[in-house]
Amino acid sequence: MNNSGGEAITTERSKKKAGFWQQQWWIVIVVVVAIGCLLDQTVVWDFWKGLGYSPDAAVQEIEESLELTGTGRRIFAATRPAVKDAAGFNESCGEHNSDVSVLGCYADGQIYIYRITDEQLALANKVTAAHELLHAVWERMGTIEREEVKGWLNEVREQNAEWFGEELETYDTEDEIEEVYTRAGTKLAELPEGLEKHYAKFFKNRGQIVEMYKTYEAPFEKLRSEISALYDEIERVRLEIETEREEYNRDVDALDVKIDRFNACANTMNCFTAAEFNAQRSGLMIEREALEVRRVELNKKIDENNARIDEYASRQDALGGLYDLMDSNIEHVESEQEI
């Protein structure tokens, strides 16, 4: 009796103990499922995609320079960024228009950046990384948030229509607004407060990225400004030259008529008195000398404007050279070392 009673009690305790732990495991499972439901699925997915990613030194430097928030770092790691030379970049980003310089792309969930080695343009790598990161952010954005952001972007587009130019017209409607999103976030200093707060979710110091853009853009802006000023000056002087040439030719023709009349009279008996002959001849000589001075000055002006045209062409070549440094389609030739 005692044994059976003892066994009965022991069995009952075992059942209670097993039931207790079973209940605990169910609680754990329920909590895990609940957390999974509460978390954005993209957060979990980004975590797994970025797990084990080990950036090289170039990407590490870029990430540190961008001063990303926790959210920004998570998405950045999930895209497994890679900085590549021309061949690898073109292969990763696909064949693109040879007339367009592509500095980066976000393809199949991964960021690729074309390696810029020129010292004055190297910051383009970092700005490009931020630009492509925003493409990844846009892809992850929910419908409600995206519509709110679009409202701010349309405002930015209207206020900066000249800056955006006609280049965006090559995109379809949805891609166009996404491109405004990525460019505004990395290149424009003044933005609506709501949009600024939105970008602050990913960048601790977005202004620093804009300064990077301004720094590497400065050589381009300087050359474009010089080219524009030269063009305006060339056109202004060209019009002056045309006017002065027409006036000079007209005055030469008028002088030729006077000289012909003078010569005809000089060859006619008693047409001139000695005083009239000397006075008219002296006057014609003065006019001819004055025209010669004008001719020399006009030719000097033409030579100076031709020099401006040469300088204009040189500046154009320099600008084209800068663009070539940022174009993965250009096959760069290394200089040979003398032995």
Side-chain angles (χ1 to χ4, degrees), residues 62-239:
I62 288 173
E63 182 177 358
E64 290 172 3
S65 298
L66 295 183
E67 296 186 28
L68 302 174
T69 63
T71 301
R73 288 198 305 273
R74 168 176 54 78
I75 298 174
F76 193 71
T79 63
R80 294 177 170 263
V83 179
K84 292 180 172 286
D85 294 328
F89 176 78
N90 289 338
E91 181 180 354
S92 299
C93 289
E95 296 297 328
H96 44 267
N97 190 333
S98 60
D99 295 330
V100 178
S101 297
V102 177
L103 301 180
C105 71
Y106 176 60
D108 299 324
Q110 187 168 357
I111 288 175
Y112 298 99
I113 303 160
Y114 174 50
R115 190 189 308 276
I116 305 295
T117 57
D118 184 83
E119 185 176 351
Q120 64 179 335
L121 304 177
L123 287 175
N125 287 328
K126 297 173 182 179
V127 178
T128 298
H131 176 104
E132 300 305 331
L133 173 60
L134 287 177
H135 277 299
V137 171
W138 182 270
E139 182 182 64
R140 289 160 171 75
M141 209 180 297
T143 302
I144 296 175
E145 183 179 19
R146 184 177 291 182
E147 289 304 310
E148 182 179 32
V149 170
K150 281 182 180 180
W152 294 319
L153 294 174
N154 286 326
E155 178 183 341
V156 170
R157 176 74 186 274
E158 291 177 4
Q159 293 175 348
N160 300 274
E162 185 176 350
W163 183 82
F164 282 108
E166 299 178 355
E167 188 175 341
L168 292 177
E169 294 178 3
T170 60
Y171 297 89
D172 60 35
T173 304
E174 186 61 29
D175 289 343
E176 179 181 332
I177 199 68
E178 180 179 349
E179 195 64 21
V180 172
Y181 174 72
T182 56
R183 295 188 187 195
T186 54
K187 298 179 179 181
L188 290 178
E190 300 295 330
L191 295 175
E193 183 180 357
L195 187 57
E196 196 69 76
K197 289 180 178 178
H198 167 82
Y199 286 127
K201 297 177 183 178
F202 316 104
F203 304 113
K204 295 178 182 177
N205 187 1
R206 191 188 69 85
Q208 179 180 255
I209 298 172
V210 175
E211 288 304 312
M212 290 180 188
Y213 163 71
K214 290 180 179 178
T215 299
Y216 89 74
E217 179 68 10
F220 292 91
E221 188 59 36
K222 180 176 182 292
L223 283 170
R224 284 193 289 261
S225 177
E226 291 172 349
I227 288 170
S228 177
L230 277 169
Y231 178 84
D232 291 343
E233 182 68 3
I234 288 168
E235 283 300 295
R236 184 187 68 78
V237 176
R238 183 185 64 80
L239 292 175

Side-chain angles (χ1 to χ4, degrees), residues 49-68:
K49 287 174 71 176
L51 198 64
Y53 170 65
S54 180
D56 61 18
V59 174
Q60 274 188 323
E61 182 188 358
I62 288 173
E63 182 177 358
E64 290 172 3
S65 298
L66 295 183
E67 296 186 28
L68 302 174

